[in-house]
Amino acid sequence: MNFEESENFSEEEITEFKADEFSADGSAGQTSPSEDKNDVLKELFSWVRTIAIGVLIGILLVVFVVQRDNVYGDSMNPTLENGDMVYTEKISTYFHSYERGDVVILDGHDMEGYDREEYLIKRIIGLPGETVRIADGCVYIRPADSEEFFLLEESYLVEGQQTWMMSIGVDKGYDEITLAENEYFCLGDNRNVSKDSRVLGPFTEDRIKGVAFVCVYPFAHFGLIR
C-alpha cells in the first residue's frame, strides 16, 4: 500500500512560490532595523499625543468647566460640614443661569464686613428683582411681578431652625431689600453662625464663581448637593 502522495508543479508556480518566501532584499519575511525603529517612534508619538490631549482636556475642564473646592467652617450645616470636598460647575456662570436653592461659591473680597481670604459657600435665597424680607424668624419673598410676599419653605434646614437678623444688618436695611437685576440674596443653611447677606448684603452675579453640585469626600457624605 502506498501512503505517499505527489504533486506536480509547473515551473511558473515554483518561481512564484519562491518569490513569496523572500522579500526584495533577500530576507525571509523579516523587517529591517530602520523599519523597526520607525514603528517604535510612531508608537511613542502616539502615546505622547494621547497623554498631551488628556492633559489639555484636564486643564480646560478645571479652568472652564469644573473645579474642586473645600468647605471651611460650619455655616452650611447640615448640608455640608467642615472639611467636606465638593465639585463645582462653572458653566452656569457663563450664562448667569442660577436658581433659588443653588449652593454657590462666592467671592466676598472687598465686601464691607468680610475680612477673610477664602471664598464663601452659601445658598441662593433671593433672585434679581425680588424683595427679600426676614421677620419673625422666617424668610419671605415677593416676586418682581407681585405685590404679595410668600413664606419660603426651606426643607434643607434643621427642623426648627429660624432665621434672625443682626442689628448691623437691620441698620443697613438688609432685613427687607429689593434686589437689583444683577443681585442675589444668599444665606448659609446654619443660620445661627453664618455670615451672609444678612450682614454683607446682596452678592452681584460677578461674585458667583460656581455652583456646587456634588460632595465627594469624606465618602460618608458622598452625594449630590441639594
Side-chain angles (χ1 to χ4, degrees):
M1 182 178 294
N2 186 1
F3 292 94
E4 296 182 1
E5 295 182 1
S6 61
E7 295 184 1
N8 296 321
F9 295 94
S10 68
E11 184 176 347
E12 292 180 354
E13 289 175 325
I14 293 173
T15 302
E16 187 176 319
F17 178 75
K18 290 182 177 180
D20 289 339
E21 286 187 320
F22 298 95
S23 61
D25 59 1
S27 61
Q30 298 179 351
T31 59
S32 66
S34 61
E35 289 176 331
D36 289 339
K37 184 178 180 179
N38 288 337
D39 289 342
V40 172
L41 290 175
K42 288 180 180 178
E43 184 70 18
L44 180 61
F45 176 76
S46 177
W47 276 101
V48 171
R49 181 179 60 184
T50 301
I51 293 172
I53 292 174
V55 171
L56 179 60
I57 291 174
I59 292 173
L60 291 175
L61 286 174
V62 170
V63 173
F64 297 107
V65 180
V66 67
Q67 70 182 24
R68 190 197 72 185
D69 291 289
N70 296 318
V71 177
Y72 297 98
D74 301 317
S75 69
M76 281 299 292
N77 286 359
T79 303
L80 296 170
E81 298 182 8
N82 182 49
D84 282 355
M85 182 188 300
V86 303
Y87 274 98
T88 304
E89 58 89 359
K90 301 181 182 181
I91 297 175
S92 296
T93 64
Y94 306 136
F95 302 99
H96 308 299
S97 56
Y98 310 112
E99 298 180 358
R100 192 188 331 276
D102 283 348
V103 175
V104 293
I105 306 300
L106 298 164
D107 182 359
H109 295 158
D110 300 325
M111 294 183 73
E112 185 179 357
Y114 192 73
D115 56 2
R116 302 185 65 176
E117 291 298 321
E118 299 87 3
Y119 283 170
L120 302 96
I121 182 166
K122 306 295 178 185
R123 190 182 296 273
I124 292 178
I125 300 300
L127 300 172
E130 295 182 337
T131 300
V132 179
R133 173 190 291 170
I134 297 176
D136 306 321
C138 299
V139 177
Y140 299 90
I141 303 291
R142 186 179 71 194
D145 58 353
S146 174
E147 298 296 325
E148 301 294 331
F149 283 89
F150 67 84
L151 173 65
L152 182 63
E153 299 290 341
E154 301 185 272
S155 60
Y156 39 79
L157 299 181
V158 172
E159 186 176 355
Q161 174 80 77
Q162 293 185 310
T163 304
W164 299 103
M165 291 292 302
M166 295 175 59
S167 58
I168 185 173
V170 174
D171 292 342
K172 293 180 177 180
Y174 297 153
D175 56 330
E176 183 170 332
I177 182 172
T178 299
L179 302 171
E181 289 306 310
N182 67 333
E183 291 182 336
Y184 295 82
F185 200 89
C186 302
L187 301 177
D189 289 354
N190 189 358
R191 302 288 160 80
N192 294 334
V193 302
S194 178
K195 179 178 284 189
D196 45 41
S197 287
R198 293 172 296 171
V199 174
L200 303 175
F203 293 84
T204 53
E205 62 187 17
D206 61 298
R207 291 185 177 274
I208 301 177
K209 302 303 178 182
V211 178
F213 66 95
V214 64
C215 180
V216 295
Y217 186 84
F219 299 124
H221 298 167
F222 180 84
L224 296 177
I225 298 171
R226 304 181 188 281

